[in-house]
Amino acid sequence: MKTISMCLMMCLATGVVRADWLQFRGPNATAVSTEAKVPGDDLKISWSADLPGRGLSAPIVVGDRVFVTCSSGPGQETLHVFCFNAADGTKRWERAMRTTGRTMTHNKTCVAANTPCSDGERVFALFSSNDLFAFDLDGNLLWLRGLTFDYPNASNSLGMSQSPVVMDGTLVVQSENDSESFVAGLDVATGRNKWKLERPKAANWTSATLWKNAVALQSSKGILAVEPATGKTVWDYSDGASTIPSSVGAGETLYAVSHGITALAPEKGAVTQLWRNEKLNPGTASPLVLGDSIYVVNGAGVLIKASIKNGDEAWKLRMKGPFSGSPVAAGKRIYIVNERGIFQVIDPEAPEGKVLKEIELKETVLTTPAVSGGAIYVRSDAKLWKLQ
């Protein structure tokens, strides 16, 4: 708490207000930065830091610190959590642990596929092996869970990548698979279960969305919203959903990746369908809402802009793909990195959309960027970059 207070006082003294990027897709898993300071169009590589192993997890930012995970070793049995200084990329600390669960994954993914999250005081790092660690911001281990010991059949032969989220003192952890599929709410201070729910027995790589004080859990069956503190059902949409790209909430509407995109307005336990456009069909990337439009990247690497009011398409822009990571946004710009490491800046307000800038990172990038302090953070297996 002392560290957070000092960071806040420093920000106020320098006139800089930084919005932390605390989880996969940032604030409330919307992929849109909430801070006033946004990256400029003339982005350049500010610094890069070497990483010792693979990782599909996205970076997160807490104050002046950037956190990232990776896995190394012949069987990816060594798990790493890094903390870097946001200003210059110097390493503040590194922690290396051994896996206790299964490390099998598809060749394209790895054990460090789940993006860590933070409540501003702690960093929670979950790995595909179902190993879960909680550190304070200075790298002191607070607690750990080898979830495979508690739930031995919770595994997926292709690897798991569901990223945890934290809300109201509860860490929500998903391990959804073909066998012992579950979601649990853990006490952030101790790691003990507050609640646990069985989930559909099917492979699932989506991550939860935080929306209207609930945690929206997506699976092939649909979307279940629960209270973070108790796990009690708030509402349940049961018309099916994607198991790869995750849904996004904005305002009073949840834009579900279901039969393309389906706009939902849940209220008092009921779910109203506002509109559906089956042609807005995301590939791997999750959609984002910016202003009065929703943006979807399809499997062909085409960015589609549509109205959030009725789902009508405005334009299509072919980008340089393919894409595994999701787009993020800040101010009036959208940022995305393709698998070949080409970072692209998009102007979505141009009449037909426009790619304003490209930066060749010259590495394979399968991850989603993070935005904080007017900068963008991107990682590959080998490096973490700051673009500013």
Side-chain angles (χ1 to χ4, degrees):
M1 193 68 179
K2 182 178 179 181
T3 303
I4 297 298
S5 299
M6 290 177 64
C7 289
L8 179 59
M9 287 189 292
M10 289 175 65
C11 287
L12 292 175
T14 58
V16 176
V17 178
R18 180 193 302 272
D20 292 342
W21 195 271
L22 298 178
Q23 63 202 354
F24 175 60
R25 299 192 298 162
N28 293 322
T30 62
V32 179
S33 172
T34 58
E35 63 185 359
K37 184 179 181 181
V38 298
D41 288 341
D42 190 27
L43 286 168
K44 296 180 176 63
I45 296 175
S46 176
W47 53 255
S48 66
D50 293 333
L51 299 173
R54 297 198 61 196
L56 271 70
S57 57
I60 64 171
V61 185
V62 186
D64 61 351
R65 307 175 189 214
V66 185
F67 299 89
V68 69
T69 63
C70 58
S71 54
S72 67
Q76 298 184 60
E77 66 279 355
T78 302
L79 310 175
H80 304 262
V81 178
F82 282 90
C83 176
F84 295 96
N85 286 310
D88 58 12
T90 54
K91 185 171 69 175
R92 294 182 75 119
W93 53 263
E94 174 192 359
R95 300 293 178 263
M97 296 76 62
R98 300 286 286 187
T99 57
T100 65
R102 299 173 180 87
T103 60
M104 76 282 258
T105 67
H106 187 278
N107 290 337
K108 191 172 183 178
T109 184
C110 66
V111 176
N114 319 66
T115 296
C117 68
S118 174
D119 60 359
E121 298 180 33
R122 310 167 186 86
V123 173
F124 307 98
L126 175 68
F127 294 84
S128 174
S129 58
N130 276 334
D131 291 296
L132 173 63
F133 305 90
F135 297 93
D136 67 18
L137 300 186
D138 293 321
N140 298 304
L141 180 65
L142 303 176
W143 53 262
L144 60 87
R145 291 278 302 269
L147 293 171
T148 300
F149 286 103
D150 298 325
Y151 314 109
N153 294 316
S155 67
N156 182 339
S157 61
L158 298 178
M160 295 186 287
S161 63
Q162 294 183 295
S163 300
V165 295
V166 59
M167 178 185 277
D168 297 337
T170 303
L171 178 69
V172 179
V173 175
Q174 294 170 266
S175 182
E176 301 189 11
N177 52 83
D178 295 320
S179 182
E180 193 171 0
S181 191
F182 72 92
V183 58
L186 279 56
D187 185 287
V188 295
T190 65
R192 295 190 178 95
N193 284 16
K194 289 184 173 182
W195 52 265
K196 175 178 171 289
L197 301 175
E198 292 186 6
R199 293 288 287 157
K201 292 184 178 181
N204 185 12
W205 296 274
T206 64
S207 294
T209 296
L210 303 179
W211 184 63
K212 298 189 71 173
N213 300 314
V215 179
L217 307 167
Q218 180 177 322
S219 74
S220 60
K221 300 295 184 182
I223 300 175
L224 175 70
V226 300
E227 294 179 352
T230 64
K232 292 181 179 178
T233 297
V234 179
W235 53 263
D236 188 7
Y237 166 78
S238 57
D239 195 20
S242 170
T243 57
I244 298 179
S246 303
S247 300
V248 61
E252 298 299 309
T253 307
L254 183 76
Y255 299 91
V257 186
S258 170
H259 306 281
I261 296 293
T262 300
L264 303 174
E267 185 179 2
K268 297 180 180 178
V271 182
T272 301
Q273 180 179 314
L274 302 178
W275 56 260
R276 172 176 287 173
N277 186 341
E278 296 188 5
K279 294 181 180 179
L280 293 177
N281 194 20
T284 299
S286 300
L288 68 82
V289 173
L290 186 62
D292 59 0
S293 300
I294 184 169
Y295 297 87
V296 169
V297 180
N298 69 17
V302 174
L303 178 66
I304 307 172
K305 177 180 182 177
S307 168
I308 61 172
K309 295 179 181 179
N310 52 26
D312 289 349
E313 293 182 15
W315 49 251
K316 295 180 179 179
L317 174 67
R318 181 167 295 279
M319 302 180 294
K320 292 182 179 178
F323 298 95
S324 284
S326 299
V328 299
K332 297 180 179 180
R333 299 290 182 259
I334 294 174
Y335 309 96
I336 190 167
V337 193
N338 73 8
E339 292 184 2
R340 292 178 290 161
I342 302 176
F343 178 89
Q344 299 165 67
V345 182
I346 312 297
D347 177 6
E349 294 190 337
E352 298 297 326
K354 183 178 181 181
V355 179
L356 295 177
K357 187 178 181 64
E358 295 179 355
I359 299 176
E360 295 269 2
L361 298 177
K362 299 179 181 179
E363 293 270 355
T364 299
V365 177
L366 305 175
T367 63
T368 299
V371 184
S372 184
I376 302 171
Y377 299 89
V378 182
R379 66 86 51 86
S380 68
D381 283 346
K383 290 185 180 294
L384 170 69
W385 295 273
K386 178 182 181 180
L387 307 179
Q388 195 171 31

